Amino acid sequence: MLYKVEFTCAIRGHHVYKTTWTPVLNEKLKCKKDNREEALSHDKHSVGVFKVDETLVGHIPIEISRIIDYFMQENEKNFISAMVVGPRKREIGLVVPATFSAYTNDVRVADILSKEIMKIKIKYSHFELKYEEDKNKLRKKPCLDFF
C-alpha cells in the first residue's frame, strides 16, 4: 500500500540544463539526492530532478529541498516523481512547472510531509507552491499511479 502526497511547483535551474533537455508536457521525471559537490555547496539538501536515462535536468527548489531530502532519507522505499505541467518560464532563472508526487508506505511519514508542505506554503509567500489539502487527505487505499 502506498500513500501519495502531491504538490505543484517549479523545477529550478533550467537555464543551466536547457542545452541538454527540452521539457515536454506530461513528461515523467524522477527525483533523488544530488550528491555532486557543486550542488551541495549551494544546498546541502540538494534534490535533483532526472530524466529516465539519469540525465540531470534541474532541482527541487531550495525552499522545500530540506523536507524532501528528509522524506527520502526516512525510508529507502520512499520516492518522488515529477510530471511537467507547463512550458518553461522566467522566475529565478528559467524554471519548468511540475507536479511532484511523493510516495511512501508509511501513513505517518505522508502526514508529516503534508503538514510540512503546508507550513512552507504559508511561510514563503513569494514561493509559487500549489498544494490542495483536501486533495491530499490520506486514505487507506492502494496507490497505483506511481512512476
Side-chain angles (χ1 to χ4, degrees):
M1 176 135 12
L2 287 176
Y3 298 94
K4 178 171 85 168
V5 177
E6 194 174 81
F7 57 95
T8 301
C9 66
I11 298 168
R12 289 210 179 132
H14 186 59
H15 56 283
V16 175
Y17 303 102
K18 67 183 177 185
T19 58
T20 57
W21 178 56
T22 302
V24 176
L25 194 61
N26 297 323
E27 180 177 6
K28 289 190 177 182
L29 307 161
K30 57 185 174 179
C31 303
K32 64 181 183 178
K33 181 76 174 172
D34 184 354
N35 285 315
R36 295 174 308 124
E37 188 176 322
E38 178 185 2
L40 296 174
S41 71
H42 294 288
D43 177 7
K44 71 179 182 177
H45 297 287
S46 182
V47 177
V49 180
F50 296 81
K51 289 175 38 176
V52 178
D53 69 2
E54 299 294 320
T55 302
L56 179 63
V57 298
H59 288 88
I60 285 182
I62 197 169
E63 290 88 347
I64 60 171
S65 64
R66 178 186 55 82
I67 63 164
I68 299 303
D69 185 25
Y70 288 149
F71 169 81
M72 292 188 305
Q73 287 180 40
E74 175 66 25
N75 185 321
E76 65 184 27
K77 293 181 181 177
N78 291 351
F79 66 97
I80 299 182
S81 66
M83 184 168 51
V84 175
V85 295
R88 67 184 183 186
K89 62 183 183 176
R90 288 210 174 276
E91 192 183 86
I92 300 172
L94 281 176
V95 299
V96 177
T99 295
F100 293 85
S101 299
Y103 299 93
T104 182
N105 58 10
D106 186 337
V107 69
R108 177 190 60 83
V109 171
D111 188 48
I112 290 169
L113 180 62
S114 293
K115 288 176 182 173
E116 290 299 315
I117 289 172
M118 196 55 160
K119 286 180 192 176
I120 288 168
K121 180 180 165 86
I122 293 166
K123 181 178 179 179
Y124 297 108
S125 58
H126 71 282
F127 175 50
E128 193 174 325
L129 173 64
K130 293 179 184 157
Y131 178 76
E132 297 175 34
E133 213 169 4
D134 290 341
K135 183 179 177 184
N136 282 290
K137 288 289 182 198
L138 301 175
R139 296 176 297 276
K140 292 185 176 182
K141 285 169 107 176
C143 185
L144 303 172
D145 64 342
F146 59 92
F147 180 41

